[in-house]
Amino acid sequence: MIWIRLFYEFFKAGLFAIGGGLATLPFLQEISQATGWFTQQDLMDLIAISESTPGPIGVNAATYAGYHACGVFGGVTSTLGLVAPSVIVILLVSKVLDRFKESSLVQHIFYGLRPASTGLIAAAGFSVVLATLLHVTELPVNPAGAFNWFGIVLAAALYWAIKKWNKHPVIYIAASAVIGIGAGYLHILG
């Protein structure tokens, strides 16, 4: 009954990841460690694919992870699990929103959720930086092989290019994808 567990795990992620798709990444790391459905490297690939495809990153990530764990039905199940809490909350809130929309308590609660959301997104970004630029996916860190020099040089080159040319982000994403795929093929051939 892997589908029930997929739905349950992604339901929890959808319920507690306040702040959008990037806020789901810490929960995806936890799912990866708890279930073994995908590795930390798979998670980095998932982030790259989800960031470069249209649609919300959380939904793309849930679909990718579910598909990776259990095929098409797994992808559908995990996606439904992720969005179900939002649908339930929206239905419940819409019934009582008019009564509470002027409440200062409700406004303060939503204002208080901003730092939590920011913290989850920052933690996810920090994890991505550690895994991609420093090869850190587990502790303790092996200092001998910790630096991903190719990633560091690519990040520096992209930063320079963005500052110099200020083009649309899609151009930099596409260029990074081509360079990364090319480097991957060279690594396989070499």
Side-chain angles (χ1 to χ4, degrees):
M1 292 284 125
I2 191 171
W3 301 298
I4 293 172
R5 179 127 189 243
L6 271 170
F7 184 86
Y8 173 71
E9 294 292 340
F10 283 96
F11 186 89
K12 286 191 313 187
L15 185 61
F16 295 112
I18 298 168
L22 291 175
T24 62
L25 295 180
F27 296 99
L28 290 174
Q29 287 179 323
E30 183 180 320
I31 291 170
S32 169
Q33 292 169 352
T35 64
W37 289 332
F38 48 92
T39 65
Q40 291 297 315
Q41 183 59 48
D42 292 334
L43 186 59
M44 294 302 110
D45 294 341
L46 177 151
I47 293 166
I49 291 169
S50 296
E51 283 287 347
S52 60
T53 56
I57 184 173
V59 172
N60 290 348
T63 305
Y64 177 91
Y67 179 81
H68 195 277
C70 197
V72 172
F73 191 66
V76 171
T77 302
S78 60
T79 303
L80 289 175
L82 185 75
V83 300
S86 297
V87 171
I88 293 168
V89 168
I90 288 169
L91 291 174
L92 292 175
V93 168
S94 69
K95 297 291 184 191
V96 295
L97 185 61
D98 286 335
R99 268 186 17 204
F100 295 109
K101 72 179 178 182
E102 298 300 323
S103 167
S104 66
L105 176 64
V106 171
Q107 291 175 358
H108 285 95
I109 289 171
F110 281 120
Y111 187 75
L113 288 174
R114 291 179 185 173
S117 173
T118 302
L120 287 171
I121 292 169
F126 187 69
S127 296
V128 169
V129 167
L130 286 177
T132 56
L133 298 183
L134 301 177
H135 290 303
V136 175
T137 57
E138 296 178 1
L139 295 176
V141 177
N142 175 11
F147 293 102
N148 176 1
W149 293 110
F150 177 76
I152 292 170
V153 169
L154 180 59
L158 283 171
Y159 179 77
W160 175 81
I162 290 168
K163 288 293 186 183
K164 181 164 176 76
W165 291 302
N166 195 23
K167 300 291 182 192
H168 195 278
V170 170
I171 293 171
Y172 300 112
I173 292 170
S176 297
V178 169
I179 292 168
I181 290 168
Y185 282 125
L186 290 175
H187 180 70
I188 290 171
L189 295 175

